[in-house]
Amino acid sequence: MTVLPDDGLSLAAEFPDATHEQWQRLVEGVLRKSGEEVSGAAAEDALSTTLEDGLRTRPLYTARDTAPDAGLPGFAPYVRGSRPEGTTAGGWDVRQRHAALGEGAVLTDLENGGTSLWLVLGEGGFPVTDLPRALEGVYLDLAPVVLDAGRDTEAAAEALLSLYAEKGVDPKAVRGNLGGDPLGYEARTGTALDLAPYAALAARCAPEFPGLRALTVDALPYHEAGGSAAQELGASLATGVAYLRALTEAGLSVEQAAGQLEFRYAATADQFLTVAKLRAARRLWARVAEVCGAPGAQVQHVVTSPVMMSRRDPWVNMLRTTVATLAAGVGGADSVTVLPFDHALGLPDAFARRIARNTSTILVEESHLARVIDPAGGSWYVERLTDELAQAAWEFFRTIERDGGQAAVLRSGRLRTDLATTWAERSKRLAKRREPITGVSEFPLLSERPVEREPAPEPPSGGLPRVRRDEAYEELRARSDAHLAATGARPRIFLATIGSAAEYTARATFAANLFQAGGIEPVTGGSFEESGATEAVLCSSDALYAEQAERTAESLRAAGARRVFLAGRGDHSGIDAYVFAGCDAVDILSSTLDRMGVS
């Protein structure tokens, strides 16, 4: 029986509650109309979507999907955040990345919204000897500094600590991270480093600099190698456990050792998966810390994903990083680095850096995202996704430990194989545009002027690969660019439209987008002979295809067309191939360029 509220505002209170079973029956009816005879849970499964790691998103979540107790913000298992107040005390730490010393760039960032610095030194960055110049004018007792120096970590750490001493900074006021990550470096380069010097740094920091951490558990190498969210989490857990072992063997207590670690994760434009990943990461590390006897929250530094950044139409990256930053904030990140939109092209300019800074500022100050503690808390979908992702990540972590730990799976090649398998499956979705890339595989602009930047320092390599979502399409577009430079024109394809605009526009638009993704210019209007093309695509409705496809294909061949496509599916005489939603676009475009003589 429905109970009416006392405030007189009944709204829909007089209606009986709907049941899950009633909803399923409605779904059955809809599916039946499409020719699918399923019932009950099977009807719901028909509307579910399979994700990586065996996860599935369902069309409806209810109270019965409530996940295990997430606790309260600031309390174990820290799913709802590492601090009771969340980010309401001032937002998250806006951490700006610097791999080169632009004129005044460091101070500009700190004076205009940045709150900490991430400095890349040595390989892939600027020389360690330039560290004093990089920090000239910086109030080191106010701005935390995070180093990322690879094999030069010891030298960079000594230079930074000497700088603190020279400037008379109170050791208790020092904040940041010395960035030691030997296993992360091995993942990047294939070169093993001794953990002992990093343990020694931690042993020095723990008593002398209580706010300074010595080690970073960087999961970006696994994300950038094409790993899934669960693989990223599992590898980070295994790395964190390896560091705990090394630090405790060096004489630190478990609590001190755990306090020396900061975890770095990627945030993507898949906002719900990112939110769930950060929540799951805290839950999993809380379990590790509990077992080790040092309960505490994981400190998270989140970086907008380099994998999702496109080189073509890079302006779209602003939108991608905005969604990723929102997800990082909702997920409870302690620090967030927004990569500039031109990150994939080289060194960012001042405008790109400003937009990156302002992304966090808009979300914190204008969108008020930081005024809510755990914005995702109570969402049945997010809670269930967090739980399922945590289970998948824990299982992957267990396989790493079973095979000897993080160092062992890196050296055996097992981790590389696992990540490559995941990326191969994702590459298929990208090739078929099941995972679209706006401005690249969808709605490309062939006439865009390329954005040019100064080359960035080459990052360390030799270990796990670095992949990008746009790499297959970038190769195709590069072929087209070279052809344009050599001949003065791009390869072309003729869109043969049949019927009225209402009948051909949808498929003509589809075909134009598809071929432009490979750098092939679509030509409409006029005759085939005037188009300068060697191949053609028929675009119309199924009804007109049945009437005219064969005849039109014959006339195109008579005019010189070497190959005739049809936009859609079917079985028509005279058609060489069909292009449709879900076809392997990369394979079609690559073979088309081959036939057109585009090397």
Side-chain angles (χ1 to χ4, degrees):
M1 178 178 177
T2 302
V3 179
L4 296 178
D6 296 329
D7 60 6
L9 191 64
S10 62
L11 298 178
E14 65 271 21
F15 292 96
D17 293 335
T19 66
H20 196 92
E21 290 69 26
Q22 288 175 316
W23 178 81
Q24 284 182 343
R25 285 195 292 273
L26 293 174
V27 172
E28 292 169 15
V30 172
L31 293 175
R32 194 174 299 116
K33 292 178 181 177
S34 64
E36 197 168 350
E37 287 290 341
V38 288
S39 60
E44 193 167 347
D45 288 342
L47 298 181
S48 298
T49 302
T50 301
L51 308 176
E52 289 177 331
D53 303 314
L55 308 179
R56 285 178 68 83
T57 57
R58 287 168 281 185
L60 179 69
Y61 289 83
T62 65
R64 68 182 186 180
D65 292 303
T66 303
D69 183 18
L72 295 172
F75 294 89
Y78 303 104
V79 173
R80 304 194 62 194
S82 59
R83 295 169 292 176
E85 73 278 11
T87 54
T88 59
W92 52 83
D93 169 31
V94 180
R95 185 169 294 175
Q96 292 296 101
R97 182 179 184 273
H98 292 265
L101 294 183
E103 188 64 34
V106 168
L107 287 178
T108 298
D109 278 347
L110 291 175
E111 292 168 354
N112 293 278
T115 54
S116 69
L117 298 171
W118 175 14
L119 304 180
V120 184
L121 303 96
E123 299 173 88
F126 57 87
V128 172
T129 53
D130 285 347
L131 183 61
R133 184 163 69 90
L135 296 176
E136 189 174 347
V138 175
Y139 292 100
L140 295 178
D141 53 343
L142 299 179
V145 176
V146 173
L147 302 180
D148 185 355
R151 65 163 63 247
D152 297 318
T153 295
E154 289 180 84
E158 288 299 333
L160 181 61
L161 296 177
S162 297
L163 205 57
Y164 285 135
E166 289 174 17
K167 297 199 173 187
V169 179
D170 182 356
K172 294 183 179 179
V174 171
R175 298 289 184 273
N177 194 313
L178 299 180
D181 187 19
L183 290 176
Y185 183 80
E186 184 171 352
R188 292 284 196 201
T189 65
T191 301
L193 298 177
D194 184 10
L195 270 64
Y198 302 92
L201 278 178
R204 180 178 176 184
C205 287
E208 294 183 36
F209 302 92
L212 183 64
R213 299 172 189 272
L215 296 173
T216 297
V217 178
D218 191 355
L220 289 183
Y222 318 110
H223 171 76
E224 290 187 78
S228 66
Q231 289 171 329
E232 184 183 347
L233 291 178
S236 72
L237 286 182
T239 303
V241 168
Y243 290 163
L244 286 182
R245 292 183 179 124
L247 297 185
T248 52
E249 288 173 4
L252 277 74
S253 68
V254 177
E255 187 173 358
Q256 286 177 320
Q260 287 298 303
L261 305 183
E262 179 179 55
F263 289 73
R264 182 177 295 146
Y265 295 110
T268 73
D270 188 337
Q271 59 182 348
F272 290 112
L273 188 61
T274 296
V275 171
K277 179 169 70 175
L278 300 183
R279 292 162 64 89
R282 289 193 297 272
R283 173 182 167 186
L284 294 171
W285 185 247
R287 176 58 180 156
V288 169
E290 179 186 20
V291 171
C292 293
Q298 182 186 73
V299 177
Q300 294 179 338
H301 171 206
V302 178
V303 184
T304 57
S305 166
V307 176
M308 73 178 180
M309 305 289 268
S310 65
R311 286 160 280 194
R312 306 284 173 163
D313 203 357
W315 318 102
V316 182
N317 292 330
M318 297 184 198
L319 306 178
R320 297 186 179 106
T321 54
T322 298
V323 176
T325 306
L326 182 147
V330 171
D334 298 289
S335 302
V336 178
T337 295
V338 181
L339 296 180
F341 73 87
D342 53 1
H343 173 78
L345 301 172
L347 292 176
D349 65 5
F351 171 74
R353 302 194 66 85
R354 178 165 64 91
I355 293 297
R357 289 192 308 268
N358 287 346
T359 300
S360 283
T361 302
I362 289 288
L363 291 172
V364 172
E365 301 294 342
E366 293 191 23
S367 298
H368 307 304
L369 188 63
R371 294 191 180 184
V372 181
I373 301 174
D374 186 25
S379 163
W380 292 319
Y381 170 47
V382 173
E383 299 287 5
R384 176 54 58 184
L385 185 60
T386 298
D387 181 56
E388 293 175 354
L389 181 56
Q391 298 290 345
W394 187 259
E395 183 57 34
F396 190 72
F397 163 64
R398 290 180 61 197
T399 65
I400 293 176
E401 288 296 289
R402 186 167 59 240
D403 287 353
Q406 183 69 2
V409 297
L410 280 172
R411 293 162 194 171
S412 69
R414 196 216 94 179
L415 185 57
R416 175 189 286 268
T417 300
D418 289 345
L419 300 178
T421 300
T422 299
W423 179 245
E425 288 301 314
R426 190 178 182 189
S427 295
K428 293 177 183 177
R429 296 197 302 275
L430 290 163
K432 294 182 177 182
R433 303 196 299 173
R434 296 297 190 191
E435 183 180 333
I437 311 172
T438 304
V440 178
S441 66
E442 297 283 359
F443 310 110
L445 182 63
L446 289 186
S447 61
E448 72 167 319
R449 295 180 59 185
V451 177
E452 298 181 356
R453 294 289 184 265
E454 292 183 31
E458 283 295 323
S461 61
L464 296 176
R466 293 175 187 260
V467 301
R468 292 187 188 277
R469 292 197 310 158
D470 69 350
E471 57 188 24
Y473 295 96
E474 178 64 26
E475 181 180 340
L476 297 171
R477 292 286 294 274
R479 291 173 64 180
S480 174
D481 289 348
H483 189 77
L484 174 64
T487 66
R490 292 192 184 277
R492 294 180 175 181
I493 194 162
F494 182 68
L495 304 189
T497 56
I498 306 172
S500 66
E503 291 169 308
Y504 67 69
T505 296
R507 280 174 167 160
T509 301
F510 167 83
N513 274 328
L514 171 67
F515 284 98
Q516 286 181 102
I520 301 171
E521 182 181 350
V523 180
T524 57
S527 65
F528 178 81
E529 294 90 332
E530 298 168 337
S531 68
T534 58
E535 301 188 4
V537 189
L538 299 188
C539 305
S540 190
S541 65
D542 290 339
L544 286 181
Y545 285 154
E547 297 174 3
Q548 303 182 39
E550 182 177 349
R551 185 170 65 252
T552 306
E554 288 177 1
S555 65
L556 286 168
R557 289 189 190 283
R562 301 173 189 169
R563 189 175 183 83
V564 179
F565 293 93
L566 183 143
R569 297 174 184 266
D571 184 12
H572 302 279
S573 179
I575 301 301
D576 296 298
Y578 297 84
V579 291
F580 48 86
C583 67
D584 191 329
V586 169
D587 181 63
I588 289 170
L589 294 170
S590 181
S591 59
T592 301
L593 289 174
D594 289 342
R595 289 192 304 273
M596 291 178 174
V598 180
S599 62

